[in-house]
Amino acid sequence: MKKFSEMPLKAELVEAIHRVGFTELTEVQERAIPVVLSGKDAIVRAKTGTGKTAAFIVPIMQNTPQSNAVNAIIIVPTRELALQVAQFSEQLGRYTHIRTTTVYGGASINVQISNLRRGVSIVVGTPGRIIDLIDRGILRLDNVRFVVLDEADRMLDMGFIEDIDYILTKTPMKKQMLLFSATMPQPIITIAKRHMEPDYATIQVGAEEELVVNTISHEYTFAKGRMKFAALLAYIGQYAPKKCIIFARTKYESEIIYDLLIRQGLNAMLLHGGLTQAKREYSLDTFRKGAQFMVATNIAARGLDIADVTDIINFDAPETAHDYVHRVGRSARMGKEGRAFTIFGLDERRLMEDIQYDANIRMSELRLDLDKYNNFQMPETRRHSFGYGEQGSGRFRPHMRSEGRYGHSENRSGGARYHGGRYGHNRYRGQR
Ligand code: UDP
Ligand code: MG
């Protein structure tokens, strides 16, 4: 493997990388950094947890002068990911004297405005707040040379594409577009091409049909209503996961699961888009520092790099194979092992088969001792209002306030989600 010291990088940048603790390049870095340095647009696909962040931050830093104009804008789908990417950029910038700032919703815009006014070279942010700051005339992108879409397929899908198009109209014609993700469905590549020079590079690390790292095992069970909770508790009881993210479909359901775990005396955190930003950051922070569980919606599915997550539990199956790939990719990072367990509804056999087919993985059925774990009480406050425990009804009231930009997968009510056609309403119909 190549070392950063062998790359055509400024001495102070190599020093900065060493101080962060990296010496050798990962495969995606080895392949992407030279291409980014060459000035080409690029679509880079590499599996979760393989070091994509450094693959764009490092070459951008190499070509960022110490000036007050914004040279690079890095756009990501969630606030927590913005913070994480910015943190890495800031770490390097401390030694290269290149300033990074982060802009995202839910936090004081005035603080962000004064950070921007101080003059920064690299901006990491989420689309809504970026647009707000552009429209206020505070964030000027006239001198931008690099635009990065991290989790690019997410940034170009229906939830975000209009925002991205708008932001791009504020950047110069001549710039470098850099798209990174673990998944790049063909329809999204078609959209991406509209924004790229015809000679753009495609970097594909690993075989195209391999989306998931092979250090994750995949298991499932079928259950509905109250038995889903029994399955969850049985898994926890039988396997004692060390550090575990539990994904739920809605904010609302994540709260129920969270309440249940707390009642069981478990050390759990909660992360969903209906919480204040301060709470979101506290939850993630505490989970990073060692809480055993984090119950989350899909906002935690993309990009977050949390050390040593051993288990991913999909309390509800994700809607698409791509969602599955990203959720389970929060574990087994940088060659570590991970275990994924998905609870499918009784009517979701087809979804299970589709996920296996589309993500190119094999799942095995897990036998859990449900009877032993079925003597729990649902949290009082929700029990009556939401109908748990009544003949295993798995229905949730679709009353959740829409949370806008990445809310659609959080707010869909149970059952309406997967219609059973081979790909259901999946936009990536027929893609592998
Ligand atoms: N990392 C590393 N060596 C490197 C670059 C990154 O060990 O040269 C670590 C990094 O600190 C992080 C992990 O690899 O903990 C995953 O990186 P990233 O989040 O960039 O992965 P992605 O999912 O974006 O590919
Ligand atoms: Mg990433």
Side-chain angles (χ1 to χ4, degrees), residues 97-356:
H97 305 288
I98 289 165
R99 276 198 296 265
T100 300
T101 200
T102 325
V103 301
Y104 56 93
S108 163
I109 198 164
N110 292 326
V111 171
Q112 293 171 7
I113 287 171
S114 64
N115 287 340
L116 286 165
R117 286 214 165 115
R118 226 169 284 152
V120 292
S121 304
I122 299 176
V123 172
V124 186
T126 51
R129 186 57 64 90
I130 290 173
I131 289 173
D132 195 348
L133 288 160
I134 289 172
D135 289 347
R136 289 174 191 231
I138 306 288
L139 176 55
R140 303 198 56 98
L141 301 180
D142 329 25
N143 289 301
V144 156
R145 284 170 60 204
F146 299 97
V147 176
V148 177
L149 304 183
D150 194 15
E151 307 297 337
D153 54 331
R154 180 78 186 92
M155 303 317 297
L156 295 173
D157 83 10
M158 292 187 314
F160 282 119
I161 183 69
E162 284 177 24
D163 289 353
I164 299 299
D165 282 343
Y166 181 78
I167 294 167
L168 289 175
T169 64
K170 303 294 178 182
T171 62
M173 284 291 281
K174 190 170 151 31
K175 61 180 173 281
Q176 221 175 321
M177 287 292 297
L178 302 168
L179 276 50
F180 285 75
S181 186
T183 52
M184 264 293 171
Q186 196 56 50
I188 296 290
I189 293 179
T190 306
I191 292 166
K193 280 184 190 167
R194 295 208 299 258
H195 298 289
M196 320 248 287
E197 292 296 321
D199 69 339
Y200 75 91
T202 302
I203 296 170
Q204 163 79 42
V205 179
E208 193 167 352
E209 62 279 4
E210 258 176 55
L211 297 177
V212 185
V213 295
N214 59 16
T215 47
I216 304 179
S217 65
H218 306 273
E219 291 162 313
Y220 69 91
T221 195
F222 286 107
K224 76 168 189 177
R226 179 182 167 90
M227 293 315 275
K228 293 183 77 163
F229 294 94
L232 172 69
L233 293 177
Y235 183 91
I236 292 170
Q238 287 178 231
Y239 301 109
K242 278 207 184 69
K243 196 174 174 89
C244 173
I245 303 177
I246 300 166
F247 283 101
R249 189 185 313 142
T250 61
K251 295 182 246 199
Y252 175 59
E253 190 175 37
S254 68
E255 297 215 347
I256 297 168
I257 298 166
Y258 170 78
D259 286 353
L260 180 69
L261 297 189
I262 294 297
R263 263 173 166 263
Q264 303 285 315
L266 296 167
N267 183 3
M269 307 309 300
L270 177 64
L271 182 64
H272 68 60
L275 303 173
T276 63
Q277 189 53 28
K279 272 195 193 139
R280 283 167 63 160
E281 284 167 35
Y282 172 79
S283 281
L284 182 56
D285 225 45
T286 311
F287 183 60
R288 281 192 202 277
K289 287 184 181 136
Q292 192 181 359
F293 295 96
M294 183 167 78
V295 187
T297 56
N298 265 347
I299 61 168
R302 291 265 185 172
L304 297 183
D305 184 56
I306 304 163
D308 302 317
V309 174
T310 54
D311 295 63
I312 302 294
I313 300 176
N314 293 311
F315 181 83
D316 297 298
E319 295 180 32
T320 67
H322 294 100
D323 283 346
Y324 184 89
V325 168
H326 290 281
R327 282 183 179 189
V328 303
R330 295 319 99 217
S331 76
R333 301 179 71 74
M334 281 280 157
K336 298 223 169 77
E337 307 251 305
R339 182 173 186 180
F341 170 56
T342 302
I343 303 172
F344 287 96
L346 300 185
D347 55 351
E348 290 181 327
R349 180 165 289 276
R350 205 126 167 212
L351 175 61
M352 181 195 65
E353 285 163 4
D354 286 351
I355 287 175
Q356 294 191 67

